[in-house]
């Protein structure tokens, strides 16, 4: 009830800006815009795209637009309404894009203008993180301005928002957002994200998981080894318990298999992790892939199940493909290795950025400056 009350009270300050606040037309508009604001906040801005009623959403966006065009309001109220409109337009046009429908470019421009206004005119420090994060997301998709999106993510990350720190760290590792690759910066931001623990959903677990892999690849850049980061990740997972986010936060079969592969490359065969991967998978084909490795160490059979699954998957199987490639290099199965390299070469440049970056490092010459792990993978 308190939540709804706060939303309904959003533009109450508008009344005090007008000596004619009792006029029925203005009162009607205020009630109407409050209802639209509440509808968009409850039903459109949570990014559950398959649940959005596009027609109703667009109707309420138009009501906000009409109100903003008709009535001068306080900067604080304008920030709130334009933030709601920007997020709603972003969500609606994302649905159009996902459904391969025409996207309204004029609405895109409105959303971009709104979110720039919001971050410029916000005076509430408690909302700054959220506004910067939303600005980055909207600018990246609707304006296709990667540099400006990175700037806003960085502003958000500096305020210790874990999910923004995770995104910045990933950007530095793979060189996305038009920034040069910088492994040390990636480690720095992943470490800061880890320190946020569970305060920002999965961010702490995601970053500790990334640090497991980066510490394995670049041990000379760390004071702690990869096993210490694995321990920290598992401690966070234990703290999460049966939280509803569990299935997204390092509890997937792919996560368990990745941990298994890192142990394997280090000369340790942790079959418990393969068993966890099998138990957590809802795909019979994926289970068979893991079982082929658990029961017979049969990489060729495991790859055949991977291939079967990849043909029916709408999204590339980045993590599984990378882990199988690492295994194939380790056991010197050149047939599987070449097939997986072809799999990655067939993807778009924007797909599997983390996996492709790791592969790039693994393809370096085995000279004196080459990390010991590259030699270990090829052992």
């Amino acid at each position: 009830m308190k939540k709804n009350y706060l939303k309904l009270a959003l533009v109450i300050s508008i009344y005090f800006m007008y000596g004619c606040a009792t006029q029925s037309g203005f009162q009607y508009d205020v009630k109407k815009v409050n209802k639209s604001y509440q509808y968009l906040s409850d039903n459109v801005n949570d990014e559950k795209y398959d649940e959005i009623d596009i027609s109703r959403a667009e109707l309420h966006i138009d009501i906000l637009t009409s109100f903003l065009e008709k009535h001068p309001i306080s900067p604080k109220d304008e920030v709130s309404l334009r933030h709601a409109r920007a997020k709603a337009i972003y969500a609606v046009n994302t649905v159009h894009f996902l459904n391969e429908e025409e996207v309204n470019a004029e609405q895109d421009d409105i959303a971009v203008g709104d979110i720039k206004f919001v971050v410029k005119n916000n005076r509430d420090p408690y909302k700054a993180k959220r506004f910067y994060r939303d600005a980055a997301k909207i600018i990246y998709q609707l304006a296709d301005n990667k540099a400006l999106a990175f700037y806003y993510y960085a502003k958000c990350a500096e305020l210790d928002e874990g999910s923004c720190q995770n995104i910045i760290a990933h950007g530095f590792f793979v060189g996305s957002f038009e920034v040069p690759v910088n492994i040390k910066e990636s480690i720095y931001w992943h470490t800061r994200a880890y320190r946020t623990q569970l305060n920002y959903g999965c961010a702490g677990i995601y970053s500790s998981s990334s640090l497991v892999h980066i510490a394995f690849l670049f041990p000379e850049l760390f004071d702690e080894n990869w096993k210490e980061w694995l321990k920290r990740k598992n401690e966070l997972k234990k703290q999460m318990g049966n939280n509803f986010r569990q299935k997204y936060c390092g509890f997937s079969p792919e996560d368990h298999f990745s941990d298994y592969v890192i142990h394997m490359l280090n000369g340790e065969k942790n079959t418990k992790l393969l068993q966890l991967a099998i138990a957590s998978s809802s795909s019979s084909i994926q289970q068979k892939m893991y079982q082929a490795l658990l029961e017979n160490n049969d990489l060729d059979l495991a790859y055949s199940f991977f291939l079967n699954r990849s043909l029916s998957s709408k999204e590339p199987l980045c993590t599984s493909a990378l882990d199988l490639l690492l295994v194939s290099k380790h056991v010197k199965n050149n047939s599987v290795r070449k097939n997986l390299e072809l799999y990655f070469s067939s993807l778009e440049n924007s797909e599997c950025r983390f996996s492709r970056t790791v592969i790039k490092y693994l393809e370096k010459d085995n000279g004196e400056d080459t990390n010991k792990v590259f030699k270990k993978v090829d052992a």
Side-chain angles (χ1 to χ4, degrees), residues 339-376:
N339 284 329
L340 287 164
E341 287 172 348
L342 284 172
Y343 175 80
F344 279 111
S345 67
S346 69
L347 301 176
E348 299 290 333
N349 288 336
S350 60
E351 296 176 319
C352 299
R353 295 289 295 268
F354 183 89
S355 298
R356 290 153 71 99
T357 302
V358 171
I359 292 168
K360 181 181 72 175
Y361 289 123
L362 293 175
E363 288 174 346
K364 289 185 177 180
D365 292 334
N366 287 331
E368 291 183 4
D369 295 331
T370 304
N371 191 291
K372 292 179 182 178
V373 172
F374 303 143
K375 297 177 183 176
K376 186 182 294 183

Side-chain angles (χ1 to χ4, degrees), residues 154-181:
K155 296 287 285 185
C156 171
E158 288 165 1
L159 296 173
D160 272 333
E161 209 278 7
S163 61
C164 292
Q165 291 170 340
N166 187 271
I167 291 169
I168 288 292
H170 180 75
F172 276 120
F173 187 79
V174 304
S176 56
F177 296 101
E178 299 176 351
V179 298
V181 169

Side-chain angles (χ1 to χ4, degrees), residues 6 119 139 150 178 184 189 197 199 207 215 218 220 229 248-249 258 267 287 290 306 323-324 346 348 354 363:
L6 289 172
V119 294
I139 295 291
F150 185 83
E178 299 176 351
K184 290 183 179 179
W189 286 108
Q197 301 286 289
N199 294 331
S207 277
F218 302 97
E220 72 279 5
W229 281 109
Y248 306 110
C249 296
S258 288
Q287 288 174 339
Y290 298 140
F306 164 82
D323 288 330
L324 288 173
S346 69
E348 299 290 333
F354 183 89
E363 288 174 346

